[in-house]
Amino acid sequence: MSVSTKTIFALALAAALLAVAPLCSGCRQQTQAADMPARVELPDVARALEEGMAAHSPWRAVDRTALATSLGWGQVSSGNKGARRIALTFDAGADAGATAQVLDELEAAGLECTFFVTGQFALSNPGLLARMYADGHELGNHSWSHPKFTGVSAPEVASQIERTEQIVHELTGMTTKPYFRFPYGAGSSSLVKQINGLGYMGVLWTFDTLDSLGANAAAIRGRVSAHAAPGAIVLMHCSSAEEAKALPLVIDDLRAAGYDLVTLTQVLQPPAAPGSS
Ligand SMILES: [Zn+2]
């Protein structure tokens, strides 16, 4: 997507969100009474936005709840191994870190990926959330404040997930359902059951680039090449500048090895049947 198209989408998104924001009757009357120039009908903008995004991002057309049901919910650590596809997934904790650079590299490569964001990240970085949406990325839920869920109460588990869903929805109009990644990957069978009941499947990873443990760009690149496999879900972090630096090389390596780089939704789907388009 060109920068100008992206800007239009971002502006249209902001307008559409404003259009659905509740106004008190006094405010509405004031707006109507004001001598304002003719404006674009906001519902039309919102519809055009959705149609444009759906055409640009095939994963948006997938019924993800049905996909999770077909996979039995639970928790996954890899996608469908029947096709040469890999999903790069990025966790965003409290700080913006190198998120803007990661987004730049993905945009330059023409990729749509999946970001697991915390509510605190969304609250602190609304502009980055809007850009993730406008760039066609998919969003998953990574809790509100990144606690180890094995040490928090059941009501707090629900609150951590629901508050994040709420702010992501307010900022982007998107849902994080049905994807949840436990902070530190720390879950349990009873926690997985609980999040399944909240409308989320657990999403772990096939391998970790170890960027959050200080791996440099060369080590990250080497690790991805060594572990790449059909259906892999790769764990990366927005906080790592080395990750952002490695990204264009990693993308080139994987493409040269014949992999399609796709969103989580796409890597979880069965491959298209022969003969279908
Ligand atoms: Zn995390």
Side-chain angles (χ1 to χ4, degrees):
M1 192 187 295
S2 70
V3 170
S4 60
T5 314
K6 198 173 71 192
T7 305
I8 291 164
F9 277 143
L11 290 173
L13 169 66
L17 289 174
L18 282 174
V20 298
L23 283 175
C24 72
S25 56
C27 300
R28 192 173 291 120
Q29 280 162 6
Q30 219 172 14
T31 306
Q32 283 167 352
D35 197 11
M36 295 175 75
R39 292 165 63 181
V40 177
E41 279 298 314
L42 290 173
D44 289 347
V45 172
R47 198 177 311 115
L49 172 68
E50 287 306 320
E51 284 169 3
M53 296 309 282
H56 179 60
S57 307
W59 65 266
R60 287 186 202 269
V62 176
D63 181 341
R64 294 184 290 166
T65 304
L67 179 61
T69 300
S70 75
L71 294 167
W73 295 87
Q75 179 159 250
V76 295
S77 56
S78 69
N80 191 298
K81 294 173 183 164
R84 225 167 155 75
R85 299 176 301 202
I86 285 182
L88 303 179
T89 66
F90 299 87
D91 287 4
D95 301 323
T99 307
Q101 293 157 263
V102 167
L103 288 169
D104 287 346
E105 295 299 347
L106 297 179
E107 182 179 5
L111 288 184
E112 294 174 349
C113 294
T114 303
F115 287 80
F116 284 88
V117 298
T118 64
Q120 287 184 340
F121 178 90
L123 186 66
S124 306
N125 303 286
L128 290 172
L129 261 285
R131 182 170 173 197
M132 286 173 187
Y133 175 86
D135 284 1
H137 300 300
E138 178 173 54
L139 299 177
N141 195 314
H142 195 37
S143 83
W144 181 266
S145 59
H146 211 268
K148 263 206 172 110
F149 272 40
T150 43
V152 303
S153 68
E156 176 64 8
V157 165
S159 165
Q160 285 271 335
I161 294 175
E162 282 160 8
R163 281 189 293 158
T164 299
E165 164 69 5
Q166 195 179 346
I167 190 169
V168 168
H169 192 262
E170 278 168 13
L171 289 171
T172 66
M174 292 173 76
T175 179
T176 60
K177 291 181 179 180
Y179 303 132
F180 178 73
R181 177 170 278 161
F182 286 102
Y184 315 99
S188 67
S189 56
S190 62
L191 281 166
V192 168
K193 273 202 191 96
Q194 188 187 352
I195 65 152
N196 289 170
L198 295 169
Y200 294 87
M201 63 191 300
V203 180
L204 290 172
W205 49 88
T206 312
F207 66 93
D208 180 347
T209 61
L210 304 182
D211 55 339
S212 64
L213 298 178
N216 66 20
I220 291 167
R221 183 186 185 188
R223 212 173 143 74
V224 174
S225 286
H227 293 270
I233 298 170
V234 185
L235 173 63
M236 304 177 118
H237 293 85
C238 290
S239 54
S240 167
E242 288 296 310
E243 183 80 270
K245 201 167 133 191
L247 206 44
L249 304 169
V250 163
I251 292 167
D252 283 352
D253 288 348
L254 292 175
R255 282 177 164 165
Y259 288 103
D260 275 339
L261 299 178
V262 297
T263 61
L264 178 63
T265 289
Q266 289 166 302
V267 87
L268 291 174
Q269 284 186 294
S276 71
S277 58

